[in-house]
Amino acid sequence: MENGTLKPYRLIPPVTALLLLGAHGLRLGDFGLAASLALLAGLLCARRAWARPVAVAALLWGGFVWARATVDFIAFRQAFDLPWQRLAWIMGGVILMDGLALMVLLGRGLDRWFDRDREWAVPRAAMFLLTVFGLVMARAKVDFPILLADRYLPGWGWLEIFLLGCYAQWIGSMMRTPKGHRMVRPRIWGLFSAVFFLQLALGLLGMDRMLMTGTLHLPVPALIAAGPVFRGGGYFMLVLFGATLLLVGPAWCSHLCYIGAWDDAMSRLGPRPAPSNVLRSLSLLGRGATLVLAVGVAWGLRVLGVPGASAVLLGAAFGLVGVGVMVFVSRGRGMMVHCTAFCPMGLVGNVLGRISPWRIRIGADCTGCGACFSRCRYNALDEGRVALGRPALSCTLCGDCVSACAHGRIGYVFPGLSRETARAAFIVLAVSLHAVFLGVARI
């Protein structure tokens, strides 16, 4: 039996190095970091292939942690005229253990050990690491506890970060195929929206720690643009929106928008979508009008010195009109009419999202079967667009058309990458952003 030739004892250095690093975190009172590194060691023992590059990254980081700790410890002892040579040898040994663990993990001796979850192991590890990096940066850059674990269980924030990283690689593995992407995307999108509004509801019911800052803002997408105009500041959501457009283009509207998930759910209660020229004209004209209206009214209210409470009522009214469009029009047409004909930020996303190089393209050898028409809920595909080889402006890179094409003629493209690699890279970015947003999904 092939597994009989495996040598599990080779895991001793990396597991020991991870546990030592966790013990260092425990000494500093970071229980979440200690638990996370222990779990990562367990994943190595469980032979998860994606955990291997994650452990390599953890040990690389650990090398810097140990080097810094060594300098600090020696400086402390020298400051008080205490002996430090023995400490230096001990810390040198710990650093060498970390280096040995890296050599073992990077060597070929463990290739056959990591035989589980080998498919898409590198993209899964990338999703884990990008999620962790995003949450660590968010945690470090704000002056208040941004993670729920840090708010309710101080010292356990790292564990929440680790679990969200695991969640990202898990859902990413299910989205590996176009069919899996089509099945999973609306579910995780709906989950994000539910978590977002559940925390808002709990915050309004008196659980203040569920709100990000304690200052309430209306969760209406139009206010991403209109809010800063009225306030003359508060650009956080606008910057976040812009950064997302740079990374994944208009996919904000099909993967990350907390309100868009409602429109998607309503459209799925209706018939199969069919291309509509009327709605396509509203994609630019209708959303352009609501964008001018939202920003213009916000500017006018600011000039007139209208109180914030009155502005909130107007914003809420705008949001309720949008909900009405979802319930009555999107559901009736089986198409996301709110997102494609009403939401001003949808237009901003579609236009500015073109800064990002991600595109959906249709091959010249398309058979013209039309299967993708009835899958596109963004009214971006018809015979004319297929002939042109690209969807209309309202495309949000949702990927439903990719799974609908039995001939493989539709796909994601990115300069310099094959279609398969481009799609994998897009999924990695979209899923990582979703997991990060889920971790900070609060008003």
Side-chain angles (χ1 to χ4, degrees), residues 5 20 23 82 124-125 135 163 166 196 205 209 281 285 384 400 408:
T5 63
L20 280 173
L82 296 172
R124 291 174 74 169
L135 290 170
L163 293 177
C166 290
F196 183 92
L205 290 173
R209 283 183 288 182
S281 66
L285 297 177
D400 286 356

Side-chain angles (χ1 to χ4, degrees), residues 230-246:
F230 175 74
R231 295 190 299 267
Y235 300 103
F236 172 78
M237 278 302 300
L238 201 57
V239 171
L240 181 63
F241 181 76
T244 304
L245 293 182
L246 287 174

Side-chain angles (χ1 to χ4, degrees), residues 151-168:
R151 294 186 175 208
Y152 287 95
L153 298 168
W156 288 93
W158 258 107
L159 182 59
E160 181 181 350
I161 292 173
F162 180 86
L163 293 177
L164 283 168
C166 290
Y167 164 78

Side-chain angles (χ1 to χ4, degrees), residues 347-438:
L347 177 61
V348 174
N350 286 137
V351 174
L352 296 185
R354 294 184 176 270
I355 298 172
S356 173
W358 299 107
R359 298 287 188 273
I360 292 285
R361 288 292 181 260
I362 304 162
D365 53 351
C366 171
T367 63
C369 69
C372 55
F373 300 171
S374 62
R375 289 291 186 187
C376 182
R377 300 183 183 277
Y378 289 91
N379 197 32
L381 289 171
D382 58 19
E383 291 183 6
R385 302 310 303 189
V386 168
L388 289 173
R390 59 181 182 272
L393 175 68
S394 56
C395 174
T396 64
L397 308 178
C398 74
D400 286 356
C401 58
V402 179
S403 66
C405 185
H407 310 287
R409 302 296 190 265
I410 308 178
Y412 290 90
V413 297
F414 189 93
L417 299 180
S418 67
R419 285 199 173 188
E420 183 179 352
T421 304
R423 185 181 170 278
F426 177 82
I427 296 297
V428 166
L429 287 175
V431 168
S432 300
L433 285 170
H434 160 75
V436 171
F437 279 30
L438 191 63

Side-chain angles (χ1 to χ4, degrees), residues 333-357:
R333 298 297 298 264
M335 192 172 290
M336 298 175 64
V337 179
H338 171 272
C339 294
T340 59
F342 179 80
C343 178
M345 295 311 295
L347 177 61
V348 174
N350 286 137
V351 174
L352 296 185
R354 294 184 176 270
I355 298 172
S356 173

Side-chain angles (χ1 to χ4, degrees), residues 151 200 203 207-214 216 442-443:
R151 294 186 175 208
L200 171 61
M207 299 176 65
D208 293 343
R209 283 183 288 182
M210 286 290 176
L211 302 177
M212 187 175 288
T213 63
L216 186 62
R442 289 187 299 290
I443 294 294

Side-chain angles (χ1 to χ4, degrees), residues 278-318:
V278 174
L279 289 178
R280 184 161 298 160
S281 66
L282 291 175
S283 176
L284 182 60
L285 297 177
R287 294 186 298 177
T290 57
L291 178 61
V292 172
L293 176 67
V295 174
V297 169
W299 180 79
L301 293 175
R302 181 183 177 188
V303 171
L304 295 173
V306 174
S310 300
V312 166
L313 291 176
L314 288 173
F318 186 91

